[in-house]
Amino acid sequence: MTGGALIGIDWGTTSFRACLMDARGNLLDQRLARAGILEVENSAFEEVLEREVGAWLAAAPDLPIVASGMIGSRQGWVEVPYLRCPTDARAIAAALSPHVTTRGRRLRFVPGLTVPGDLPDVMRGEETEILGALRDHPAATLFLLPGTHSKWARVAEGRIEGFATFMTGELFAILKGHSILGRLMAGTTFADLAFARGARVGLDPDPAKGGLLHRIFSARTLGLVGDLAPDDIESYLSGLLIGIEVREALAFGSSPDRRRQVVLVGGTELVARYDRVLSSAGVQAIRAAPSAAARGQFHLAQLAGVLD
Amino acid sequence: MTGGALIGIDWGTTSFRACLMDARGNLLDQRLARAGILEVENSAFEEVLEREVGAWLAAAPDLPIVASGMIGSRQGWVEVPYLRCPTDARAIAAALSPHVTTRGRRLRFVPGLTVPGDLPDVMRGEETEILGALRDHPAATLFLLPGTHSKWARVAEGRIEGFATFMTGELFAILKGHSILGRLMAGTTFADLAFARGARVGLDPDPAKGGLLHRIFSARTLGLVGDLAPDDIESYLSGLLIGIEVREALAFGSSPDRRRQVVLVGGTELVARYDRVLSSAGVQAIRAAPSAAARGQFHLAQLAGVLD
């Protein structure tokens, strides 16, 4: 395609999203495929690349490619060592890991980030989305990326100072799929009031209400005493878990100043749920543009000087 | 069998345990079967009763039977309404729910207990174990019954004032069976040091360490950075979750006075794990005799005057 200057790929565990951008970072075309690294057999990553973006490369064989996400992990194509926080776009760009395929395609893999310590933390892919969202919100200091493992990142003057992972999405999925709470659930429609109620219970800072291990049992007992309909249990539990996450995340590692505003990154329906809970918690949620990953890949390519 | 005065049955979701006792509460014989209420088809509870304890009843057809546990729930034989806390042995004995089978067997079902409120709580079966353990530890004020859903009960002068449920055991099972943490686990041997390490992390009151949703992710990241062997992840996560439970449970609803000593009720290997974590938390664990349920059933039968 004429005018293409960069291919950015957000290549995660379950999905593959490629964007063709022009020299100013405008989106020219995109490809979305269920070709996450877990879906690719025998590490046939090069075949997936050619299949998905071969048409773009046919027109311009030398197009640089920046790939972020789990593709740079031990289970991915090339393992790129984690970069330690605090770090910034310039340091990440300097650590892009180059790779030339058998067909001569020139890839650069984005390193993930780590927070060292007693309880270390890691991310791969989200750092690029944060850098992209930062382009639109340069003064923001707290970023939230909901998902299976949601990430909260603290940023100051363009530097990612640290972050924390919360296993909320995965916990919700396994409680729904495999616990007694899931067996009590009926219906699949989102129940607005039940979600809000769960969120209130999750956000409640009263220690007399107990922690997560105790509070989630209310999804059973409220049903048992006839105070929560089976149709409402799923939405209640969703609100409850997100409420607990928001309370925990705001309480730890965030200065009171930071707790006023959060940039919400992501394009899923989940983002709308977090938006509501943040608002209940008195935090202003600012939704980042859905193309954060591509914006970040473009910015890294610029800083690394690969666009010329 | 000669000398039998009472049959006590602890009839739960997954197991059935019957005890034949003499007029002083001594154990004469017992039967353990995988005949929990979920295993019994078409509500054929009477058939299970006859199969398991018919031999005892053949010798003494009029033996009174006291049954505690989920058998008195909506999914059980006869639904017995919950009794509200605070309550005591006398009130529970007065609320035994009589039932005569088609063969003329005289059963009394023990009511479960509830704590009303915004986040109500329930138990069925554990109240009888607590009453039994109280016979040996009349001055104890805090009782812990580990399990799929572990229960912490506050007692004063023989009165069960309130209790709280923690879904720790079930959460551990589904994280192990269905989450990314489970997929990283290797080996099945209990790893002592890893368990102790997890418990330390779980007990740590430092809010900068985050809550459960964040801390459990360390079972992944410590492995990723080479600081926890795959063989150790399962034990680490077990210690971590029990540590979090103990910290949460001691922090809420318990006076400092109560936090010094806990009576641990149950006969499983799990009890040994809780014992270790309590000890790390500076709490003295007193192990109740394993026959707590039978002791409780006998005491209720005495108070209800059904032994004559």
Side-chain angles (χ1 to χ4, degrees):
Chain A
M1 189 168 292
T2 327
L6 176 73
I7 295 174
I9 306 177
D10 182 8
W11 203 335
T13 305
T14 57
S15 74
F16 169 102
R17 182 189 294 270
C19 292
L20 178 66
M21 291 171 263
D22 69 15
R24 300 177 62 183
N26 296 310
L27 190 67
L28 300 176
D29 197 4
Q30 59 179 328
R31 298 271 309 166
L32 180 62
R34 288 201 63 81
I37 65 165
L38 290 183
E39 256 92 350
V40 179
E41 287 180 15
N42 305 316
S43 301
F45 299 113
E46 183 166 354
E47 284 64 39
V48 174
L49 182 78
E50 295 296 330
R51 186 185 73 212
E52 298 299 329
V53 305
W56 299 343
L57 290 163
D62 289 335
L63 265 189
I65 303 168
V66 170
S68 56
M70 291 298 282
I71 192 67
S73 70
R74 202 167 301 169
Q75 293 77 38
W77 195 339
V78 169
E79 184 176 0
V80 188
Y82 289 106
L83 220 59
R84 285 180 167 224
C85 282
T87 190
D88 61 10
R90 203 161 292 275
I92 297 172
L96 291 181
S97 182
H99 177 73
V100 181
T101 73
T102 57
R103 288 176 185 77
R105 314 301 191 193
R106 300 175 318 155
L107 284 120
R108 268 103 177 164
F109 293 107
V110 181
L113 303 187
T114 182
V115 181
D118 282 0
L119 301 180
D121 215 322
V122 293
M123 60 165 57
R124 277 203 193 271
E126 293 91 348
E127 73 296 322
T128 305
E129 293 180 76
I130 294 167
L131 295 180
L134 253 175
R135 303 294 287 162
D136 294 325
H137 308 282
T141 58
L142 194 54
F143 290 75
L144 163 55
L145 299 90
T148 306
H149 296 168
S150 81
K151 310 278 184 186
W152 290 68
R154 298 182 299 280
V155 176
E157 293 165 15
R159 207 173 51 249
I160 302 176
E161 299 196 317
F163 60 88
T165 302
F166 294 78
M167 291 185 64
T168 318
E170 183 164 13
L171 201 65
F172 175 71
I174 62 177
L175 282 169
K176 180 181 164 185
H178 304 284
S179 81
I180 187 170
L181 304 184
R183 288 194 293 281
L184 298 169
M185 291 173 186
T188 52
T189 319
F190 181 72
D192 211 66
L193 289 174
F195 178 82
R197 179 180 181 180
R200 267 198 314 277
V201 172
L203 288 170
D204 191 336
D206 185 357
K209 298 279 166 67
L212 182 145
L213 291 169
H214 174 60
R215 289 189 197 202
I216 57 174
F217 194 56
S218 66
R220 173 174 196 200
T221 56
L222 287 172
L224 211 51
V225 302
D227 197 12
L228 187 69
D231 275 344
D232 288 347
I233 295 177
E234 180 174 348
S235 299
Y236 174 82
L237 185 65
S238 171
L240 179 53
L241 289 177
I242 294 174
I244 290 175
E245 175 188 328
V246 167
R247 179 167 51 87
E248 282 185 4
L250 293 175
F252 104 89
S254 308
S255 61
D257 218 37
R258 252 195 193 111
R259 286 173 211 150
R260 282 194 213 121
Q261 216 176 57
V262 177
V263 177
L264 251 175
V265 186
T268 61
E269 190 255 341
L270 203 52
V271 166
R273 296 195 184 191
Y274 276 80
D275 198 340
R276 292 188 53 186
V277 177
L278 286 165
S279 153
S280 301
V283 180
Q284 190 195 357
I286 299 170
R287 301 246 196 138
S291 56
R295 296 267 284 153
Q297 289 148 1
F298 183 79
H299 186 48
L300 289 172
Q302 276 185 311
L303 291 172
V306 303
L307 289 178
D308 306 331
Chain B
M1 189 169 289
T2 328
L6 177 72
I7 295 174
I9 306 177
D10 182 7
W11 203 333
T13 305
T14 57
S15 74
F16 169 102
R17 183 188 293 271
C19 292
L20 179 66
M21 291 170 263
D22 69 15
R24 298 178 63 184
N26 297 309
L27 190 67
L28 300 175
D29 197 5
Q30 60 179 325
R31 299 273 308 168
L32 180 62
R34 289 201 64 80
I37 64 164
L38 291 184
E39 257 91 350
V40 179
E41 287 180 15
N42 305 317
S43 301
F45 300 113
E46 184 166 354
E47 285 64 39
V48 174
L49 181 79
E50 295 296 328
R51 184 184 74 212
E52 297 301 328
V53 305
W56 299 343
L57 290 163
D62 289 335
L63 266 186
I65 303 169
V66 170
S68 57
M70 291 298 282
I71 192 66
S73 71
R74 203 166 301 168
Q75 294 77 37
W77 195 337
V78 169
E79 184 176 2
V80 188
Y82 290 106
L83 221 57
R84 284 181 167 225
C85 282
T87 189
D88 62 9
R90 203 161 293 277
I92 296 172
L96 291 181
S97 182
H99 177 74
V100 181
T101 73
T102 56
R103 288 174 185 79
R105 314 301 190 191
R106 299 175 318 156
L107 286 122
R108 269 103 178 163
F109 292 107
V110 181
L113 303 187
T114 183
V115 181
D118 282 0
L119 301 179
D121 215 324
V122 293
M123 61 165 57
R124 278 204 193 270
E126 294 92 347
E127 72 297 322
T128 305
E129 293 180 76
I130 294 167
L131 295 180
L134 254 175
R135 303 294 287 163
D136 293 326
H137 309 281
T141 57
L142 193 56
F143 290 76
L144 163 55
L145 299 90
T148 306
H149 297 168
S150 83
K151 310 278 183 185
W152 291 68
R154 299 181 299 278
V155 176
E157 294 164 16
R159 206 172 51 250
I160 302 176
E161 298 195 319
F163 59 87
T165 301
F166 295 77
M167 290 186 65
T168 317
E170 183 164 13
L171 201 66
F172 175 72
I174 62 177
L175 282 169
K176 180 180 164 184
H178 305 283
S179 82
I180 186 169
L181 304 183
R183 289 195 293 279
L184 298 168
M185 292 174 186
T188 52
T189 319
F190 181 72
D192 211 67
L193 289 174
F195 178 81
R197 179 181 181 180
R200 268 198 314 278
V201 172
L203 287 170
D204 192 336
D206 185 357
K209 298 278 167 67
L212 182 145
L213 292 169
H214 174 59
R215 290 190 195 202
I216 58 174
F217 194 56
S218 66
R220 171 171 196 201
T221 56
L222 287 171
L224 210 52
V225 301
D227 197 11
L228 188 68
D231 275 344
D232 288 347
I233 296 177
E234 179 174 347
S235 300
Y236 174 82
L237 184 65
S238 171
L240 179 52
L241 290 177
I242 294 174
I244 291 174
E245 175 187 327
V246 166
R247 179 166 51 87
E248 282 185 4
L250 293 175
F252 104 89
S254 308
S255 61
D257 218 39
R258 250 192 195 115
R259 286 173 212 153
R260 283 195 212 121
Q261 216 177 56
V262 177
V263 176
L264 250 175
V265 185
T268 62
E269 191 255 342
L270 203 52
V271 165
R273 296 194 184 192
Y274 275 81
D275 198 338
R276 292 188 51 186
V277 177
L278 286 165
S279 154
S280 301
V283 180
Q284 189 194 0
I286 300 169
R287 302 246 198 138
S291 55
R295 295 266 283 152
Q297 288 146 2
F298 183 80
H299 186 48
L300 288 172
Q302 277 185 311
L303 291 173
V306 303
L307 289 178
D308 308 327

